[in-house]
Amino acid sequence: MKKLISVIFIVVSYSVLFASSVPQWFTNPEKVFPSESYIRAIGEGDSQREAKSDALAELTCYFSQAVSSNVSVFKSLYKNDLEYTEKTGLNQNMKISSSAQLFTVQYTSSCYDRSNGKYYVCAFIERKAAWEIIKPEIEKAGEEIKIFLDDAEKEKEPLLKIIQLNKISDLYKNYLSLYDTALVIYPKRCGEFNDFSKKTFARLSELESLRKKIKVFIQTEGDRDNFIKSKIESVFIKNGISPSAERTMYLVDVKINWNKTEYNGVYKSAPVIQISVSKNKKTIAYFSAVCEKVSSYGYELTDSLAKGRLCDLVEERFYRECFGGMLEVDYE
């Protein structure tokens, strides 16, 4: 009985000791780091280092959840003006962890709970300081987009206009990532960026109608069985541009050199492809690339490997490099 009383006494003593030394940010974080001025998260771990890592992980989770909810609310405001609902591309376009670390994350001193052997740390970001960092970044991204928008508005040639608008694609995705993060920092202050975001999206929406008006005629040289032609057609279709069976105003001229050699029964190939897009014999866009060399002891196997490499190259690089990128914004 005495032993049991002693154990209870020790446990109670440890609890009192922890309670007397526990910091206020642990018992009442809202008072120390009010939500209006701070983004905060408390982490725990078997060491101070683990507690810090856990706090940062909790902080990034907050960004993830807050962006998902805030973005859906704010972007739905566009619907009345532009008759659309934009789906956030947050998961593809922005790494939450890097977003949290974009700002100066500060940590409190750790506290230790002897009753469970755990350390606790609070990680926090001051909203005002974070806003001063992200606002200039959004403004800079907006200025870069505006340059291309102005060029696109002046362009009369449909295909060149598509190329100009496509160049805005990556810039716009970066802009949205920054904007989404800003919504977490100060939602009410993001109103100044709404009009620009609406205008940009409205201009990019023109891509859909422009693409439908354009048809391209594809001719190839050195393309056995029209294998590469089929791949290029699929790339155009994927990007909303229709290939035509008859010659149109836009000619896509493809030249392929397989660069095949054979020595002592070893077959090698390093395909080279050149693609030019022209109208009335005037070149509008151009793409050229060399595939990594492939080799094997069989002619057919080498041929198959070379075709595969060339198809991958066309799939991954042709449209992006020739037409300035692909717009990866979801529409409903």
Side-chain angles (χ1 to χ4, degrees):
M1 184 69 179
K2 290 183 179 179
K3 185 176 181 180
L4 177 62
I5 293 174
S6 299
V7 171
I8 294 174
F9 176 75
I10 291 172
V11 171
V12 171
S13 297
Y14 278 155
S15 299
V16 172
L17 180 62
F18 178 70
S20 62
S21 61
V22 69
Q24 194 171 27
W25 56 257
F26 187 86
T27 57
N28 190 1
E30 182 63 26
K31 184 174 182 179
V32 180
F33 300 111
S35 300
E36 184 179 349
S37 302
Y38 295 92
I39 299 171
R40 65 175 189 272
I42 295 176
E44 69 172 65
D46 294 330
S47 65
Q48 295 182 39
R49 184 174 181 177
E50 285 187 11
K52 276 190 173 184
S53 296
D54 188 55
L56 182 60
E58 289 294 323
L59 200 62
T60 58
C61 283
Y62 168 83
F63 269 85
S64 178
Q65 295 168 3
V67 167
S68 296
S69 59
N70 281 339
V71 167
S72 63
V73 171
F74 274 76
K75 288 188 178 177
S76 66
L77 297 178
Y78 297 163
K79 190 171 184 179
N80 293 332
D81 294 334
L82 297 179
E83 297 299 324
Y84 77 87
T85 301
E86 181 182 356
K87 298 177 183 178
T88 175
L90 175 69
N91 292 333
Q92 295 91 16
N93 302 333
M94 183 177 73
K95 294 180 179 179
I96 299 299
S97 59
S98 62
S99 295
Q101 294 172 17
L102 172 66
F103 313 112
T104 303
V105 179
Q106 301 181 67
Y107 299 90
T108 61
S109 298
S110 63
C111 65
Y112 180 67
D113 185 353
R114 292 185 179 180
S115 66
N116 60 12
K118 296 290 185 182
Y119 287 88
Y120 296 89
V121 171
C122 182
F124 61 94
I125 296 173
E126 187 180 0
R127 292 184 188 271
K128 183 179 179 181
W131 180 258
E132 290 175 354
I133 292 174
I134 199 165
K135 182 181 178 182
E137 291 294 319
I138 298 178
E139 292 173 340
K140 179 182 177 182
E143 285 299 318
E144 291 176 343
I145 290 173
K146 189 176 182 302
I147 292 172
F148 286 105
L149 275 178
D150 291 343
D151 289 341
E153 288 177 355
K154 297 173 185 175
E155 184 57 60
K156 302 301 181 184
E157 168 60 50
L159 194 54
L160 286 176
K161 193 162 192 171
I162 285 178
I163 293 174
Q164 288 291 347
L165 290 174
N166 277 338
K167 289 178 180 178
I168 302 172
S169 171
D170 289 337
L171 295 174
Y172 186 59
K173 287 185 290 184
N174 178 56
Y175 180 89
L176 285 181
S177 293
L178 293 168
Y179 177 79
D180 293 346
T181 306
L183 286 173
V184 181
I185 307 301
Y186 272 132
K188 294 181 180 178
R189 295 189 183 183
C190 287
E192 62 186 279
F193 303 117
N194 286 347
D195 289 341
F196 179 77
S197 185
K198 290 179 188 179
K199 179 183 177 182
T200 302
F201 189 87
R203 299 296 292 159
L204 290 175
S205 297
E206 291 183 21
L207 280 170
E208 296 303 305
S209 59
L210 281 173
R211 285 169 176 155
K212 291 177 182 178
K213 295 177 181 177
I214 291 176
K215 292 186 181 299
V216 295
F217 178 75
I218 303 171
Q219 65 179 23
T220 59
E221 180 182 319
D223 181 19
R224 297 182 301 278
D225 303 322
N226 288 325
F227 192 84
I228 302 303
K229 180 180 179 181
S230 296
K231 171 55 66 175
I232 294 173
E233 285 178 345
S234 70
V235 170
F236 274 113
I237 292 170
K238 178 181 177 182
N239 287 277
I241 297 176
S242 301
S244 173
E246 300 178 355
R247 186 175 289 272
T248 62
M249 67 174 68
Y250 295 109
L251 173 65
V252 180
D253 188 35
V254 184
K255 289 182 172 59
I256 303 164
N257 185 341
W258 295 94
N259 286 327
K260 283 190 175 181
T261 60
E262 184 272 331
Y263 182 73
N264 287 339
V266 177
Y267 295 88
K268 298 180 180 181
S269 179
V272 176
I273 188 169
Q274 295 176 321
I275 305 174
S276 64
V277 183
S278 61
K279 177 183 178 182
N280 298 328
K281 297 183 179 181
K282 179 182 178 182
T283 301
I284 295 176
Y286 182 79
F287 173 78
S288 177
V290 181
C291 284
E292 184 180 347
K293 184 183 293 184
V294 296
S295 62
S296 76
Y297 286 101
Y299 176 86
E300 291 184 357
L301 178 57
T302 302
D303 188 59
S304 178
L305 291 171
K307 284 180 178 179
R309 287 280 174 88
L310 193 53
C311 281
D312 289 343
L313 186 148
V314 168
E315 179 75 30
E316 295 168 6
R317 294 176 50 190
F318 161 59
Y319 193 85
R320 173 168 50 85
E321 294 182 20
C322 196
F323 288 86
M326 177 179 175
L327 185 65
E328 295 175 350
V329 178
D330 293 323
Y331 300 86
E332 285 193 349

